[in-house]
Amino acid sequence: MLDYTQLDALSAVLKTGSFDGAAGALNITQSAVSQRIKALENRVGAVLILRGQPCTATPAGARLAAHADAVRLMEAGLLDSAPAENTPLRLAANADSLATWMLPALAETDGFLFDLVIDDQDHSANWLRSGEVAAAVTGHPGPVQGCDSHALGALRYYATASPEFVERHFSKGVTAEALSRAPALTFNRKDRLQRDWATGMAGTPVTLPTHHFASSQGFIEAASLGMGWGMNPEPLLRDALARGALCKLTETPLDTPLYWQVARYAAGPLAPLTRAIKAAARASLIQEL
Amino acid sequence: MLDYTQLDALSAVLKTGSFDGAAGALNITQSAVSQRIKALENRVGAVLILRGQPCTATPAGARLAAHADAVRLMEAGLLDSAPAENTPLRLAANADSLATWMLPALAETDGFLFDLVIDDQDHSANWLRSGEVAAAVTGHPGPVQGCDSHALGALRYYATASPEFVERHFSKGVTAEALSRAPALTFNRKDRLQRDWATGMAGTPVTLPTHHFASSQGFIEAASLGMGWGMNPEPLLRDALARGALCKLTETPLDTPLYWQVARYAAGPLAPLTRAIKAAARASLIQEL
């Protein structure tokens, strides 16, 4: 077995960003923190912390810290107790869920300090597979091995742009020709929504000229300012559509099914969160496809 | 000299995410794209592209692609011409600038497809140093070597939380004791705002229990929902303060000076953007500290 006082020291250094901060948090001396980290690094044969401002985890360090978090959650499940106040909980979710329906579910679930890894819905299941998160909102129906999967419904997207932009670029319809010239908005290299929708509209793959920036609300503002067109989630669109700042390129929505997947070791302690997530999703996502 | 038709192929694969897409964009066959990439990889002696869905750059590939973008911008400067329509332009900026004052400046500057690297204001200058971006909004007064630096003013932050949260955690004042128990909101591991402000208030370093998620608007919503307190930028706070959804922990602001740094090779073609950035900053940021 690993030495869990050493793992606590690792978690504390990563949480506070420094050996000094970890010493304060654990109420031990800084040299005791250093000794525990060094002993753990010798034990596993790898550097675990990149010393810097702040200190950050190496890949091996991140795996061990995630393991320590998992063990803490499992202990809570084992003892059938609520997690201790301020239990760290690492989740993965897509940015648009965070921007639209998810935060109220986190806010009403007590006891956790949430650490949200934001990744594309097509990729967030990988964080579960690697064991780095205990649960994820993902586009992958799964279940990922060792996880329970709960269908949440679908987040609805519409291709939208400012009325002037539509007039300028799409007055002759949403054609392959028009799509190959009108600047699009893309969240990051993993974001396939615009490309997939454009391919569906054009009936052939189209190379989109595109801006890139990773901000859900930034998409709405940039589209309203006439920078480009993008796939925007319906809950974020309502105001801008009502005000006439944005309009839809077509009435055809793109529905993105989402799933809540929870590692089984964490299912017990996370049951209240799972209930809150499912209720929030029921209220905000499309339930019939 | 490098072969710039090969570099164009590299840029096109990274832009479109596939060899197939690059072939379409360059109007050549897919096997011609493959040959150019292979020849370039042989020439520089490194793998440049991780083949996948989508294709992504290796570190060496990212450096070469940034070089190709830089050369395109330099050519525009050399010929004293406006950049070609849809010239790719990679910039670094902090998320709070993107969320508050920056997008209108980008929207009014024609000719570019913006690729925004979002990083903490204390770190965005590193993207300039590594040559991966042509300009950056940064907290570093600089100038970074080879760059011009323009002072933009300061983004003003207030520590804010919901009235219930303040009543529950800070009824006896913003003390070290209270700060060590009240959950904070932290953007990511690089975000020092909360820690710096708390240290200033307590007069001693405090280990903050904290949630982590990287969303400017998410901070406002999470604070309104009572999840924690966080340093929020004044332009995003106005509505929530006026509605009473949030209140300030103290009236003491934290002003974060920002600078626009532009690589000198790009200063000419980016002059219209620099003017727009400075005008937008003058309208939104605190000009006297």
Side-chain angles (χ1 to χ4, degrees), chain B residues 114-181:
Chain B
F114 295 103
D115 181 359
L116 235 65
V117 177
I118 300 177
D119 201 349
D120 191 272
Q121 61 271 12
D122 294 337
H123 296 255
S124 45
N126 294 337
W127 292 87
L128 273 175
R129 284 193 199 95
S130 69
E132 288 181 80
V133 300
V137 174
T138 165
H140 192 280
V144 168
Q145 179 145 28
C147 295
D148 296 324
S149 179
H150 306 264
L152 294 175
L155 190 54
R156 175 158 285 183
Y157 289 81
Y158 286 102
T160 41
S162 71
E164 297 72 24
F165 189 92
V166 173
E167 173 61 29
R168 180 167 155 210
H169 291 283
F170 296 115
S171 59
K172 291 177 186 161
V174 184
T175 61
E177 167 69 17
L179 288 165
S180 72
R181 293 173 182 280

Side-chain angles (χ1 to χ4, degrees), chain B residues 42-195:
Chain B
N42 282 333
R43 169 82 158 77
V44 301
V47 176
L48 301 174
I49 290 175
L50 296 168
R51 275 72 170 172
Q53 289 287 358
C55 290
T56 53
T58 64
R63 275 196 301 276
L64 272 183
H67 169 75
D69 287 348
V71 169
R72 263 180 226 111
L73 271 178
M74 288 166 77
E75 287 182 1
L78 194 66
L79 304 170
D80 205 14
S81 61
E85 189 67 13
N86 289 350
T87 299
L89 178 61
R90 204 150 197 236
L91 306 175
N94 58 320
D96 285 336
S97 286
L98 178 64
T100 53
W101 63 271
M102 192 180 171
L103 271 176
L106 303 190
E108 73 175 74
T109 308
D110 288 331
F112 296 105
L113 290 174
F114 295 103
D115 181 359
L116 235 65
V117 177
I118 300 177
D119 201 349
D120 191 272
Q121 61 271 12
D122 294 337
H123 296 255
S124 45
N126 294 337
W127 292 87
L128 273 175
R129 284 193 199 95
S130 69
E132 288 181 80
V133 300
V137 174
T138 165
H140 192 280
V144 168
Q145 179 145 28
C147 295
D148 296 324
S149 179
H150 306 264
L152 294 175
L155 190 54
R156 175 158 285 183
Y157 289 81
Y158 286 102
T160 41
S162 71
E164 297 72 24
F165 189 92
V166 173
E167 173 61 29
R168 180 167 155 210
H169 291 283
F170 296 115
S171 59
K172 291 177 186 161
V174 184
T175 61
E177 167 69 17
L179 288 165
S180 72
R181 293 173 182 280
L185 303 171
T186 303
F187 202 80
N188 58 27
R189 263 67 188 174
K190 292 177 181 174
D191 173 11
R192 300 179 50 89
L193 287 181
Q194 283 68 226
R195 222 183 325 157

Side-chain angles (χ1 to χ4, degrees), chain A residues 16 21 54 86 98 103-104 107 112-116 118 189 195 207 209-215 217-218 221 225 227, chain B residues 16 21 54 86 98 103-104 107 112-116 118 189 207 209-215 217-218 221 225 227:
Chain A
T16 63
N86 290 350
L98 178 63
L103 271 176
F112 296 105
L113 289 175
F114 295 103
D115 181 359
L116 235 65
I118 299 177
R189 265 66 188 175
R195 223 183 322 157
T207 300
T210 187
H211 303 285
H212 283 94
F213 50 84
S215 165
Q217 280 91 350
E221 185 184 353
L225 289 165
M227 282 179 76
Chain B
T16 63
N86 289 350
L98 178 64
L103 271 176
F112 296 105
L113 290 174
F114 295 103
D115 181 359
L116 235 65
I118 300 177
R189 263 67 188 174
T207 300
T210 187
H211 304 285
H212 283 95
F213 50 86
S215 166
Q217 280 90 350
E221 185 184 354
L225 289 165
M227 282 179 77

